Amino acid sequence: MAFSTDLRIAFRNLGRNPKRTALGVGAIFLAQVAVLWFMSFIHGYENLVFEAVTGPMLGHAQIHAEQYRKKHELWNSINQASHLMTHLEKNPAINQVVPRAYAPVLAALQENGETALITGLDWDKEIHAQGLLEDFLPKDLPGSGEVLLGANLAQVMGVKPGDTLALIGQSADGAPAGGLFKVKGTVSTALDSVNRKGILMSLPALQKFLGMPDGVHEIMLRVKTPAELPSLIAALRHDPDLRGLEILSWQTLQPQLATLLKTFAQENRFILVLIFITAAAGIANTMLMAGFERTHEFGVLLALGCRPRRLITTLIYESLALGLSGVLLGTLAGAGLVAWEFSHGLTFGGLKDFAMMGIRLKALHPFLLPSDIIRSVLCVAITALLASWWPAERVVKLNPLEAMRS
Amino acid sequence: MRAFFTLAVLLSLGMPSAAATEPDLSALARRLDDLYRSDTCIARLELIAQNGPQSRHLQIKSWSRGREKALLLIEAPAREAGNATLKIGNNLWNYLPNIARTIRIPPSMMLASWMGTDITNDDLVKESSYAGDFVLTLEGRAAEPKGWIVLCTAKPGVVGRWQKIRLWVDDSAQLPLRMEYFDRRGRRARTQTFDSVREFSGRRVPTHMVFKNEDEEGRVTEIRYLDLQYGARVPESTFSLSRLEKK
């Protein structure tokens, strides 16, 4: 009975001063929106950089012949790659198995040549999300005797679609290798290195050029759950079919990028803590002011015989009602804002080709996890409770006469 | 292909003297440089490139005029026959018969391997001069191989691949026996040995050279001269792009 009465009184108190109540709810609302938005931005940014880093070329892990990464010798390839890929695709932890072969060449339209790197690709695996050619339509892919040229390389060489390019390099056994290829089109990928020096060819065509049938230099793996990558790599290293091959995670392949991501995460956590503190300070300030400005009112209530404990209970209910109203509205608005941004994406101030370490970043899509909402609601509720505790504790020590004079 | 031109220098070395008198280093450097600039030469050689588990055997015919012009044509194996390289001054062109194209090698590929061997394009065009680019100092007698050790140190300001070359010459300071090449970081990057001295056009020269890449285990290039014709008739027209494509 006392509970429902106290609660009713608390709500009446809130309704008696709508401006103060609106101010309190508004402060909590804004703090909750800010916290949720920043959390979603952090998730989106980290995910964006992670996807960019591990996206088109690096993957989550790679398999090479031992020593290949050190010297990039053409002959040092993974043989019988088809069999190995079929075997890997059966692994339930692996989402995608992507083969690649590479060949440095001299590319020339006329007499003068430019250095370039041919990448042999399995087209079917590259035109999907996270592939090197994810924006490509099957009809735009090169056919037999055709290649795609990095947009910047094509510009430097003055090459247009339809031109015939001479490619001179070495076959896997060291003998000179050469071929004439028609340029199907130019390509602007997420990777600067491909745009500047890349020639994209079908994997079978490059295998023929290099004289290494069914050989590849790299098998890139994408896993279903990145958190399970260490256990997958450990298991693959004991797989007899992969004996003599090097299996490395993206963190080992690109330690500087892994460090960069870790630094980003630490910086973001620090900023998030600052935002939490700022939001909590705003809420606490509102609640404290709401309590202190009512000293006279508390004095009258005490003089009329109201017990301090009941006043405290009412104050706490008020705070919780304020806090939960604000946080509920803030959560609805924040989640709505994040949902809108998730569907539309943020494009770094409209910069079309914003790149980081040679990798072009796509639009940022902020998102929230259920734990984010639980954490922020708890944080606001605890802050509101603590902020109401101080004026409540003061009520206990209040002299009714002095309070009424204030 | 520095090795190839180095060999050309060596080919023109005179007959050795029997006395083991201390060599005249200025004369040695001049002689090496002068002999390097033989007027005309036609050579036929065998090149074996060992790279890890892989081995390639090439038979090459070459035409040269001085240090400025050279044409190298692969004659065997059949799969590679007709591939050719033309050098005129500091420029190099490669010709591949299967695509019938001649392409100039850009500066950025000068340190790339020539035809899959341990010889770089840069080795082909380099014009290092023992007298002009190096200071020669006598280190002393060598027991194995027997002869003299001469240290060639790059002169200050000279841009080149080698900081110093330690050269073993025979007692008469006429025939090189061994060379150790040290790169700009002071590391020994290549060791070259000479043997099988034969006489061509009245000159006694080592016809077999082995280049061992010290940076990479198992990477060795051998050159064996099968025939050398000094003073052979080599028309100027040999060194043209149109002729390159007709070879």
Side-chain angles (χ1 to χ4, degrees):
Chain A
M1 185 68 185
F3 167 75
S4 63
T5 310
D6 291 347
L7 200 59
R8 217 164 45 238
I9 293 170
F11 276 102
R12 274 186 193 161
N13 284 340
L14 291 174
R16 258 186 322 118
N17 197 336
K19 279 186 185 169
R20 188 181 65 206
T21 304
L23 188 68
V25 171
I28 295 165
F29 168 84
L30 287 177
Q32 177 70 353
V33 170
V35 166
L36 288 182
W37 185 83
F38 192 73
M39 277 178 159
S40 73
F41 184 85
I42 287 176
H43 293 319
Y45 188 70
E46 287 179 355
N47 189 57
L48 174 70
V49 176
F50 178 76
E51 291 296 331
V53 166
T54 62
M57 288 305 275
L58 189 59
H60 295 134
Q62 288 184 359
I63 301 174
H64 307 103
E66 274 182 6
Q67 299 296 314
Y68 172 74
R69 282 192 318 127
K70 191 176 173 190
K71 298 176 188 169
H72 290 94
E73 302 273 19
L74 294 174
W75 56 266
N76 197 8
S77 58
I78 301 169
N79 300 316
Q80 297 181 316
S82 305
H83 163 77
L84 195 59
M85 285 169 52
T86 307
H87 173 67
L88 289 165
E89 279 164 351
K90 288 177 186 162
N91 191 316
I94 296 174
N95 190 34
Q96 204 177 18
V97 181
V98 183
R100 302 258 169 84
Y102 300 98
V105 289
L106 192 58
L109 198 55
Q110 300 293 331
E111 183 190 315
N112 289 314
E114 280 284 333
T115 53
L117 181 72
I118 304 179
T119 303
L121 303 171
D122 180 340
W123 300 130
D124 290 342
K125 296 192 171 175
E126 302 291 350
I127 57 172
H128 299 300
Q130 290 190 312
L132 195 58
L133 301 170
E134 68 169 310
D135 299 329
F136 257 66
L137 298 172
K139 69 178 178 61
D140 297 326
L141 292 170
S144 175
E146 293 180 326
V147 293
L148 291 172
L149 214 60
N152 298 15
L153 179 65
Q155 193 179 11
V156 168
M157 293 182 69
V159 173
K160 302 181 298 298
D163 286 343
T164 299
L165 211 55
L167 301 178
I168 293 182
Q170 283 176 17
S171 55
D173 66 359
L180 296 174
F181 294 88
K182 194 173 170 187
V183 178
K184 170 79 173 178
T186 60
V187 60
S188 184
T189 71
L191 294 173
D192 280 354
S193 55
V194 173
N195 302 338
R196 282 189 290 105
K197 289 287 175 190
I199 295 173
L200 306 181
M201 187 184 279
S202 78
L203 184 62
L206 185 56
Q207 286 170 331
K208 189 177 171 192
F209 183 88
L210 291 171
M212 47 175 218
D214 209 19
V216 299
H217 293 120
E218 183 177 292
I219 295 177
M220 184 184 82
L221 303 177
R222 289 205 185 90
V223 296
K224 287 178 181 159
T225 315
E228 291 171 6
L229 186 60
S231 58
L232 173 69
I233 287 177
L236 293 179
R237 283 179 181 155
H238 290 97
D239 187 331
D241 283 21
L242 299 174
R243 193 172 293 133
L245 300 176
E246 185 181 65
I247 305 148
L248 299 171
S249 68
W250 71 271
Q251 293 98 328
T252 310
L253 291 161
Q254 292 286 346
Q256 70 277 27
L257 287 175
T259 308
L260 189 72
L261 272 181
K262 211 177 272 181
T263 310
F264 277 153
Q266 285 168 348
E267 284 174 0
N268 288 337
R269 298 291 170 274
F270 180 70
I271 295 170
L272 187 61
V273 167
L274 290 183
I275 287 190
F276 258 117
I277 292 171
T278 309
I283 294 166
N285 180 54
T286 309
M287 304 304 281
L288 288 172
M289 286 304 106
F292 288 142
E293 75 173 9
R294 291 160 65 193
T295 306
H296 176 80
E297 178 189 327
F298 295 151
V300 172
L301 287 169
L302 287 171
L304 289 172
C306 182
R307 283 177 299 171
R309 174 174 287 195
R310 193 147 193 206
L311 267 183
I312 291 169
T313 308
T314 311
L315 264 175
I316 289 172
Y317 286 161
E318 279 181 40
S319 291
L320 277 176
L322 260 182
L324 290 175
S325 307
V327 86
L328 182 67
L329 292 173
T331 301
L332 288 173
L337 176 68
V338 170
W340 185 85
E341 286 183 339
F342 180 80
S343 62
H344 287 77
L346 303 174
T347 53
F348 296 95
L351 292 175
K352 192 182 164 211
D353 291 320
F354 188 85
M356 187 190 71
M357 296 183 77
I359 304 166
R360 194 170 64 204
L361 299 180
K362 293 184 257 181
L364 188 152
H365 294 273
F367 64 92
L368 286 169
L369 301 171
S371 61
D372 296 332
I373 294 173
I374 294 168
R375 274 193 298 166
S376 61
V377 168
L378 279 176
C379 178
V380 171
I382 291 167
T383 307
L385 270 176
L386 291 175
S388 63
W389 186 255
W390 189 4
E393 196 186 29
R394 194 166 154 266
V395 166
V396 178
K397 299 169 187 168
L398 214 56
N399 181 316
L401 281 176
E402 285 176 8
M404 281 190 291
R405 283 198 203 106
S406 67
Chain B
M1 204 56 191
R2 175 193 172 85
F4 175 73
F5 291 106
T6 304
L7 185 66
V9 174
L10 301 173
L11 287 169
S12 55
L13 286 168
M15 294 291 286
S17 71
T21 53
E22 197 166 289
D24 177 346
L25 299 180
S26 301
L28 174 64
R30 280 198 306 275
R31 187 163 57 245
L32 286 172
D33 282 343
D34 288 345
L35 294 170
Y36 194 59
R37 294 187 185 104
S38 62
D39 288 340
T40 58
C41 180
I42 298 176
R44 188 163 262 127
L45 58 119
E46 187 179 59
L47 188 148
I48 301 167
Q50 188 79 37
N51 184 8
Q54 301 209 315
S55 179
R56 291 175 63 225
H57 293 242
L58 302 178
Q59 286 201 5
I60 299 169
K61 187 175 181 183
S62 78
W63 296 259
S64 62
R65 284 176 75 91
R67 298 172 64 191
E68 291 297 307
K69 294 180 179 175
L71 174 64
L72 305 170
L73 174 71
I74 296 178
E75 293 185 316
R79 181 182 155 213
E80 298 180 42
N83 286 308
T85 297
L86 175 67
K87 164 195 149 77
I88 299 177
N90 283 336
N91 295 310
L92 275 185
W93 290 263
N94 271 353
Y95 173 72
L96 268 73
N98 65 329
I99 57 171
R101 287 285 187 102
T102 303
I103 298 180
R104 185 169 171 264
I105 307 292
S108 57
M109 277 191 79
M110 278 300 165
L111 289 177
S113 163
W114 177 75
M115 300 282 179
T117 68
D118 199 27
I119 296 161
T120 66
N121 293 315
D122 194 50
D123 288 331
L124 288 171
V125 298
K126 192 172 284 178
E127 293 184 50
S128 59
S129 153
Y130 287 95
D133 297 344
F134 292 93
V135 176
L136 276 62
T137 49
L138 186 66
E139 284 202 340
R141 293 286 295 163
E144 186 58 42
K146 191 167 174 287
W148 298 98
I149 302 176
V150 178
L151 185 66
C152 311
T153 309
K155 289 179 178 175
V158 171
V159 178
R161 187 176 170 191
W162 308 118
Q163 185 186 58
K164 60 182 180 181
I165 300 170
R166 180 170 280 126
L167 166 69
W168 277 253
V169 292
D170 68 350
D171 284 337
S172 62
Q174 299 292 315
L175 293 173
L177 304 171
R178 176 187 171 92
M179 286 183 178
E180 291 178 351
Y181 296 82
F182 294 83
D183 63 19
R184 289 278 158 184
R185 286 180 284 181
R187 294 181 315 154
R188 189 171 73 178
R190 177 197 279 175
T191 300
Q192 181 180 3
T193 56
F194 303 81
D195 56 59
S196 304
V197 176
R198 281 176 62 190
E199 189 171 308
F200 291 107
S201 305
R203 296 174 181 175
R204 288 184 73 241
V205 292
T207 58
H208 181 231
M209 288 178 284
V210 179
F211 297 82
K212 186 174 172 230
N213 188 324
E214 301 291 350
D215 289 335
E216 294 179 42
E217 187 72 27
R219 191 152 182 159
V220 175
T221 299
E222 281 183 64
I223 292 176
R224 187 182 298 280
Y225 279 83
L226 307 173
D227 186 34
L228 276 161
Q229 299 169 40
Y230 279 91
R233 187 175 165 275
V234 181
E236 188 69 34
S237 59
T238 304
F239 309 102
S240 71
L241 293 178
S242 56
R243 283 296 296 271
L244 174 67
E245 293 167 10
K246 286 178 189 164
K247 283 285 178 190

